[in-house]
């Protein structure tokens, strides 16, 4: 019988490896439990029927979860096979497709759109591809016209509309931009937009990815998109149909697994090389020198950490914290109160060490929904203290949306006033919170407080965002009896 002597050093090494692996497994399990608890609670708070979420760190999926119901009518559960429509998050795919052509030398950001499309109105001739990607074109928006129109009929109508502003001057979100980008792709490649994207970004996959902007189209495994009817207190099926023209702007239907794979290819420079990818993530230079947007991607800093991505339909969001090598993918199919950016920001705070804190945005929303405004104010104060470089734009807007829901859907002016007062007191430098507070005071026939808050809002809105100052000045004159 032979005996083996194991050195003390080797034993120590094996023990260390064992402990390290155990710690990683424990840490992974703890992270999964923490995110599971967070999402379960958030879905309940915001009344979200179904949801899927993934967190990817350095090419490794550290979290993947599926929750709730894909189709309420038949109680179909969300799982790996569930296709979610991602709406305007589709624009990230379209932008990537354009940059693939730029990388291949077939397009340039400086190319005029008229180089590829010959049916454009005279006033569109100087618009460049870079303007379409950055929503700086100033074009009239196709969204106001019926999707059943032919391309020629639509172009005839658009040609009679005025330009909204000089190209390059400012950012204004616009669906016409991405319809034209799809047409350019088709002209340059000789194949349909759908074919080009599937060939070049999804390896011609027939499973887990599909283009359709028609909510009524029957597609196997697709989650039903729901809108919440506040008056009836129930979910209603979406019936909207944007037709094929909508495919490049809002038509992607995808499983979480396929989106994870798409992200892996993007991270590993398979879809685009590093240089082209960072060109896509370069800020567009707006003439007004105040707007901020990249080429098809938004930049959403969280406590000064930049993250690139876009959201869609208040249901889906894709966000890359490039420096932290972390990507968060959120897919859902409905809500009573919008939550997508709150969820992404909170998940980032859970998984990224540089953003760790004891307070999450969802805690603030939960307390507001429970009308515990004193505690909500304290929680919001702590959140701001832990994240001194964040402006909490999404949270502020979501609170404002909640107030509007109380006011216009529930016709509960008392609840609306409480929410708007909280938002104004918590965000005294945000003109919209003051304007909303003024409006609810006006509804409640409290003219003095309405006038005071309109005046504060006008002073804060120095750049006259949304051209709203004239409206507020008009309301003041009416309230003063002038």
């Amino acid at each position: 019988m032979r005996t083996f002597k194991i050195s003390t050093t080797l034993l120590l090494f094996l023990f260390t490896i064992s402990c390290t692996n155990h710690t990683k497994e424990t840490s992974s399990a703890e992270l999964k439990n923490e995110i599971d608890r967070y999402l379960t609670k958030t879905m309940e708070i915001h009344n979200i029927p179904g949801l899927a979420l993934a967190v990817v760190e350095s090419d490794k999926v550290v979290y993947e979860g599926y929750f709730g119901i894909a189709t309420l009518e038949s109680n179909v559960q969300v799982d790996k096979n569930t296709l979610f429509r991602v709406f305007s998050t589709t624009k990230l795919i379209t932008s990537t497709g354009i940059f693939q052509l730029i990388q291949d030398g077939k397009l340039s950001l400086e190319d005029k759109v008229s180089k590829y499309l010959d049916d454009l109105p005279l006033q569109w001739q100087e618009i460049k591809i870079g303007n379409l990607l950055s929503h700086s074109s100033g074009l009239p928006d196709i969204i106001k016209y019926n999707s059943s129109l032919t391309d020629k009929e639509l172009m005839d109508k658009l040609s009679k509309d005025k330009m909204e502003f000089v190209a390059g001057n400012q950012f204004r979100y616009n669906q016409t931009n991405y319809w034209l980008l799809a047409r350019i792709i088709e002209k340059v490649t000789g194949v349909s937009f759908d074919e080009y994207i599937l060939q070049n970004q999804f390896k011609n996959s027939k499973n887990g990815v599909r283009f359709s902007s028609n909510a009524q189209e029957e597609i196997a495994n697709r989650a039903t998109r729901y809108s919440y009817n506040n008056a009836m207190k129930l979910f209603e099926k979406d019936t909207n149909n944007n037709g094929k023209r909508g495919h490049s702007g809002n038509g992607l239907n995808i499983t979480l697994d396929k989106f994870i794979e798409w992200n892996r290819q993007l991270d590993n420079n398979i879809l685009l090389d590093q240089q082209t990818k960072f060109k896509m993530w370069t800020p567009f230079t707006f003439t007004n020198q105040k707007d901020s947007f990249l080429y098809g991607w938004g930049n959403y800093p969280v406590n000064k950490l930049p993250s690139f991505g876009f959201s869609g339909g208040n249901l889906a969001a894709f966000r890359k914290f490039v420096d932290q090598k972390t990507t968060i993918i959120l897919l859902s199919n409905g809500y009573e109160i919008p939550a997508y950016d709150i969820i992404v920001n909170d998940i980032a705070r859970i998984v990224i060490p540089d953003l760790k804190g004891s307070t999450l945005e969802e805690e603030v929303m939960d307390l507001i929904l429970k009308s515990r405004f004193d505690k909500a104010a304290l929680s919001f104060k702590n959140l701001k203290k832990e994240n001194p470089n964040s402006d909490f734009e999404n949270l502020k807007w979501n609170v404002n949306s909640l107030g509007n829901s109380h006011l216009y859907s529930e016709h509960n002016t008392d609840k609306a006033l409480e929410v708007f007062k909280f938002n104004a007191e918590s965000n005294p430098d945000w003109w919209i919170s003051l304007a909303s507070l003024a409006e609810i005071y006006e509804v409640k026939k409290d003219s003095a407080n309405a006038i005071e808050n309109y005046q504060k809002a006008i002073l804060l809105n120095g750049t006259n965002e949304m051209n709203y100052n004239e409206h507020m000045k008009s309301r003041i004159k009416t309230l003063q009896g002038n």
Side-chain angles (χ1 to χ4, degrees):
M1 179 178 178
R2 299 179 64 184
T3 59
F4 296 90
K5 292 185 178 180
I6 300 177
S7 69
T8 304
T9 303
L10 181 57
L11 281 170
L12 182 59
F13 173 75
L14 292 171
F15 177 76
T16 303
I17 291 295
S18 175
C19 288
T20 301
N21 288 338
H22 178 71
T23 302
K24 284 182 179 178
E25 289 171 7
T26 303
S27 176
S28 177
E30 288 175 353
L31 177 66
K32 184 182 185 314
N33 289 336
E34 184 177 3
I35 296 177
D36 282 352
R37 286 194 301 270
Y38 171 84
L39 291 175
T40 301
K41 181 179 179 182
T42 298
M43 289 179 70
E44 181 181 347
I45 291 170
H46 291 267
N47 198 5
I48 298 170
L51 180 150
L53 184 132
V55 180
V56 183
E57 292 180 353
S58 300
D59 211 26
K60 180 184 177 184
V61 179
V62 298
Y63 179 85
E64 184 176 351
Y66 302 87
F67 298 83
I69 308 297
T71 304
L72 295 173
E73 291 75 18
S74 54
N75 201 35
V76 175
Q77 302 291 307
V78 173
D79 61 23
K80 279 181 171 286
N81 298 314
T82 303
L83 284 143
F84 287 89
R85 187 172 166 197
V86 300
F87 292 87
S88 287
T89 309
T90 305
K91 291 179 172 69
L92 301 181
I93 308 293
T94 303
S95 173
T96 300
I98 288 289
F99 272 90
Q100 287 177 320
L101 293 174
I102 290 173
Q103 181 175 279
D104 292 342
K106 296 178 180 178
L107 289 178
S108 165
L109 291 175
E110 294 301 311
D111 284 347
K112 292 178 182 178
V113 179
S114 55
K115 178 179 178 180
Y116 305 97
L117 306 178
D118 56 13
D119 61 342
L120 301 180
L122 183 62
Q123 63 268 33
W124 296 19
Q125 297 297 312
E126 299 303 309
I127 294 166
K128 300 175 180 179
I129 288 175
N131 296 130
L132 301 181
L133 286 164
S134 60
H135 295 287
S136 64
S137 67
L139 291 170
D141 200 336
I142 63 173
I143 199 166
K144 61 184 176 181
Y145 293 115
N146 196 303
S147 62
S148 64
L149 293 173
T150 66
D151 284 359
K152 185 180 183 306
E153 289 171 337
L154 178 61
M155 191 60 77
D156 286 345
K157 289 183 178 294
L158 290 170
S159 66
K160 296 171 186 174
D161 291 335
K162 291 182 179 179
M163 296 288 288
E164 296 185 346
F165 52 85
V166 176
N169 182 66
Q170 65 198 71
F171 173 92
R172 187 169 297 174
Y173 190 59
N174 184 311
Q175 302 297 339
T176 307
N177 296 322
Y178 278 72
W179 170 47
L180 294 183
L181 288 170
R183 291 186 62 200
I184 291 169
I185 286 173
E186 292 178 341
K187 186 68 177 283
V188 171
T189 65
V191 299
S192 72
F193 169 80
D194 298 7
E195 287 178 273
Y196 171 74
I197 296 298
L198 291 175
Q199 287 171 10
N200 291 278
Q201 297 184 42
F202 295 100
K203 301 176 181 177
N204 282 324
S205 175
K206 302 298 181 185
N207 297 314
V209 58
R210 173 83 176 266
F211 278 99
S212 172
S213 295
N214 183 359
Q216 300 177 63
E217 183 178 0
E218 292 292 331
I219 297 176
N221 297 319
R222 181 162 73 165
T224 303
R225 191 269 176 100
Y226 294 99
S227 298
Y228 191 77
N229 185 323
N230 273 293
M232 301 292 292
K233 300 297 179 188
L234 51 77
F235 281 108
E236 297 174 335
K237 283 185 177 182
D238 179 24
T239 58
N240 191 43
N241 179 9
N242 293 131
K244 285 193 173 182
R245 274 194 298 268
H247 284 195
S248 58
N250 61 35
L252 181 66
N253 300 261
I254 192 168
T255 64
L256 182 60
D257 187 56
K258 281 291 182 182
F259 223 157
I260 291 170
E261 172 60 19
W262 183 86
N263 177 69
R264 186 192 67 77
Q265 292 188 72
L266 189 65
D267 282 348
N268 291 329
N269 304 326
I270 296 170
L271 298 179
L272 296 170
D273 62 36
Q274 192 80 349
Q275 182 179 357
T276 306
K277 196 162 54 178
F278 279 98
K279 188 175 184 180
M280 182 171 67
W281 293 334
T282 300
F284 179 83
T285 304
F286 293 91
T287 309
N288 66 10
Q289 298 184 338
K290 68 174 185 178
D291 288 342
S292 175
F293 199 70
L294 316 178
Y295 289 99
W297 296 62
N299 183 12
Y300 308 95
V302 181
N303 209 20
K304 275 196 172 177
L305 297 186
S307 68
F308 305 146
F310 209 59
S311 60
N314 291 336
L315 299 165
F318 181 92
R319 196 91 70 77
K320 295 189 73 63
F321 292 82
V322 177
D323 293 341
Q324 288 71 37
K325 298 181 179 178
T326 300
T327 301
I328 299 168
I329 306 170
L330 167 67
L331 309 173
S332 69
N333 65 340
Y335 57 89
E336 182 177 346
I337 302 164
Y340 64 102
D341 271 327
I342 285 179
I343 293 172
V344 173
N345 291 345
D346 279 349
I347 294 296
R349 291 187 180 96
I350 291 170
V351 301
I352 297 175
D354 291 343
L355 293 175
K356 282 268 184 203
S358 61
T359 310
L360 300 175
E361 293 183 37
E362 196 55 66
E363 294 172 18
V364 179
M365 283 298 295
D366 186 26
L367 290 166
I368 294 169
L369 288 164
K370 292 175 178 174
S371 297
R372 299 169 68 179
F373 292 103
D374 289 343
K375 287 194 173 183
L378 181 60
S379 185
F380 203 173
K381 184 178 179 180
N382 289 338
L383 188 63
K384 288 179 177 179
K385 186 177 179 181
E386 292 170 359
N387 301 270
N389 297 306
S390 289
D391 61 11
F392 297 103
E393 191 78 4
N394 302 310
L395 180 57
K396 293 187 295 189
W397 273 110
N398 280 6
V399 175
N400 198 72
S401 295
L402 177 62
N404 284 329
S405 177
H406 288 320
L407 176 58
Y408 297 110
S409 298
E410 300 172 17
H411 306 291
N412 190 327
T413 57
D414 290 337
K415 270 192 174 183
L417 177 59
E418 286 183 321
V419 172
F420 287 134
K421 279 179 71 175
F422 167 85
N423 218 14
E425 289 167 4
S426 298
N427 304 288
D429 297 326
W430 192 42
W431 75 268
I432 289 172
S433 68
L434 277 299
S436 296
L437 183 58
E439 287 168 1
I440 185 61
Y441 275 129
E442 184 176 355
V443 169
K444 292 181 77 66
K445 303 189 184 307
D446 185 341
S447 297
N449 272 317
I451 291 169
E452 179 185 350
N453 284 284
Y454 276 133
Q455 289 171 336
K456 288 179 181 178
I458 290 168
L459 288 174
L460 288 171
N461 189 20
T463 58
N464 194 21
E465 288 180 46
M466 306 181 193
N467 297 314
Y468 209 70
N469 284 355
E470 293 309 312
H471 167 75
M472 292 191 286
K473 289 174 183 177
S474 172
R475 298 315 308 150
I476 290 172
K477 283 185 179 181
T478 300
L479 290 165
Q480 289 175 334
N482 295 333

